[in-house]
Amino acid sequence: LSENVVRAAMHPADQFEAFKALVDDGLPVEDVAARFGVAPLVVKQRMKLAKVSPALIARFREDDITLEQMMALAVTDDHAAQERVWKAAHTPWQRAAGELRAALTESEVDGTRDKRAKYIGVDAYEKAGGALRRDLFSDDNKKAYLLDVALLEKLATEKLQKRAKQIMAEGWKWVDVRVRYA
């Protein structure tokens, strides 16, 4: 890998697979990063790309899929879901990275945009046992998708009820708590 990176350009998919092979063989991510002069996050991102469906990696090698689309597809490790979303996207706009990512995360809650998630906080949700999926390719590498919507609703309701008790203690006779107002 080192020889190929320095002497001749290799296909990015080769690098994904080589980094993954080194880590799978027991080399720590930090050591792989140091060996190739990249940040550990870069190694993690390449390993994540190596986990995309082999059928889609083959299309990437044929230049049928862009790197940006590969990064969007890597939001999940579920090969069947990746392939299903790719096959369902027939038009160029449906194959835009944002559209692919949205299709793969449609049943999840975006921790950076959802009002409930912002109110509770991703850390509090995770501390309460909530499962989440991080997007290694987001701008700040901290974008998270919350997978347990019921837990999020419960936490938001509990936090609102706690605040409602404080307001009632101020002398208000009635306070209604709703996570969403229909």
Side-chain angles (χ1 to χ4, degrees):
L1 173 64
S2 182
E3 204 171 287
N4 286 333
V5 168
V6 175
R7 292 188 183 174
M10 62 191 311
H11 194 279
D14 295 328
Q15 186 184 48
F16 308 160
E17 292 167 358
F19 279 11
K20 184 177 181 311
L22 289 170
V23 172
D24 288 349
D25 286 345
L27 199 60
V29 169
E30 292 74 17
D31 290 356
V32 174
R35 183 178 289 186
F36 295 100
V38 297
L41 176 61
V42 171
V43 175
K44 290 176 186 175
Q45 288 173 331
R46 299 307 182 262
M47 291 175 52
K48 187 71 169 164
L49 288 165
K51 292 180 182 179
V52 172
S53 161
L56 295 172
I57 289 177
R59 294 184 82 147
F60 175 60
R61 287 180 182 279
E62 297 167 5
D63 293 327
D64 189 33
I65 296 178
T66 67
L67 179 59
E68 188 177 18
Q69 291 167 325
M70 287 287 288
M71 293 184 321
L73 292 165
V75 76
T76 181
D77 292 337
D78 182 347
H79 292 178
Q82 293 168 346
E83 292 173 17
R84 177 181 40 77
V85 165
W86 182 257
K87 287 176 186 171
H90 299 289
T91 63
W93 72 266
Q94 290 173 317
R95 289 193 171 173
E99 294 297 321
L100 294 170
R101 187 176 290 107
L104 287 167
T105 60
E106 68 185 349
S107 65
E108 301 166 6
V109 174
D110 184 336
T112 59
R113 294 184 181 210
D114 186 86
K115 291 178 183 179
R116 297 164 299 176
K118 286 180 177 181
Y119 181 62
I120 296 301
V122 173
D123 292 339
Y125 166 83
E126 195 171 21
K127 187 177 179 180
L132 57 88
R133 178 190 347 258
R134 296 214 182 265
D135 184 357
L136 291 176
F137 299 102
S138 64
D139 292 335
D140 62 0
N141 304 312
K142 294 187 179 191
K143 186 167 190 169
Y145 294 97
L146 288 63
L147 306 178
D148 190 344
V149 179
L151 176 62
L152 179 62
E153 290 276 331
K154 177 181 174 256
L155 294 172
T157 300
E158 288 172 355
K159 188 171 180 179
L160 284 170
Q161 287 173 338
K162 185 177 178 181
R163 181 67 181 127
K165 286 180 184 177
Q166 293 170 342
I167 292 170
M168 293 282 287
E170 293 174 5
W172 293 90
K173 293 185 180 194
W174 172 76
V175 177
D176 188 23
V177 172
R178 295 183 191 188
V179 174
R180 280 177 286 195
Y181 190 75

